[in-house]
Amino acid sequence: MIKLYTIGFENKSADEFFSLLKKAGVKSLIDIRLKNTNSKYGYASKKELYKCLAYYKIDYKHKIECAPSIEIFENIKRGNAPFSVRWEKYETDYIDLIKQRDIIDIFKDINLNNACLMCYEDKPKYCHRRLLAEYLQKYFTDIEIVHFS
């Protein structure tokens, strides 16, 4: 069984974030954010994240092709529709986008065992990392998803 973790760094201190990864035995962090250079959480910027992960002997990969487009992000933030309606559209648009981008091909050569998908959102319920993990689980059926929150 492949264990695939997901984590968001929102509301987590650096100590808490890295402790969760280390305790679980994460070997690879896959950053699926659109932008990874600036962050109000200093440890989550690419440069700092890379250094900290190296200290813990965790590999770092940035897979921008797994990030929602700017348009998809904007659509969920704006509009008069209730959040549940906007989220439903976000889910559909995001899944369509990763299908178009042939995400499965990208992950065929990546060892997902003890890997962790990372983005910003604290909780996985309304986050693309959950959607991506579930999408991958459909194709690589021996995946168990574990969300850090």
Side-chain angles (χ1 to χ4, degrees), residues 75-126:
N75 286 343
I76 194 147
K77 292 179 188 176
R78 299 174 193 221
N80 297 327
F83 180 79
S84 60
V85 173
R86 289 182 283 140
W87 176 254
E88 190 174 308
K89 179 166 177 32
Y90 180 98
E91 283 184 319
T92 302
D93 290 349
Y94 178 71
I95 296 301
D96 288 347
L97 181 68
I98 60 175
K99 284 178 183 175
Q100 291 168 10
R101 291 178 176 171
D102 290 326
I103 292 300
I104 297 304
D105 273 352
I106 291 167
F107 282 94
K108 282 182 181 173
D109 295 328
I110 294 176
N111 182 0
L112 291 175
N113 194 33
N114 293 318
C116 185
L117 303 175
M118 184 203 78
C119 67
Y120 174 75
E121 297 292 332
D122 187 28
K123 307 287 184 212
K125 184 175 181 178
Y126 295 114

Side-chain angles (χ1 to χ4, degrees), residues 54-90:
Y55 174 81
Y56 289 104
K57 297 179 175 42
I58 298 173
D59 186 41
Y60 175 79
K61 295 172 180 54
H62 183 217
K63 294 296 181 187
I64 195 170
E65 53 272 75
C66 296
S69 65
I70 292 172
E71 180 183 22
I72 291 173
F73 273 129
E74 292 300 317
N75 286 343
I76 194 147
K77 292 179 188 176
R78 299 174 193 221
N80 297 327
F83 180 79
S84 60
V85 173
R86 289 182 283 140
W87 176 254
E88 190 174 308
K89 179 166 177 32
Y90 180 98

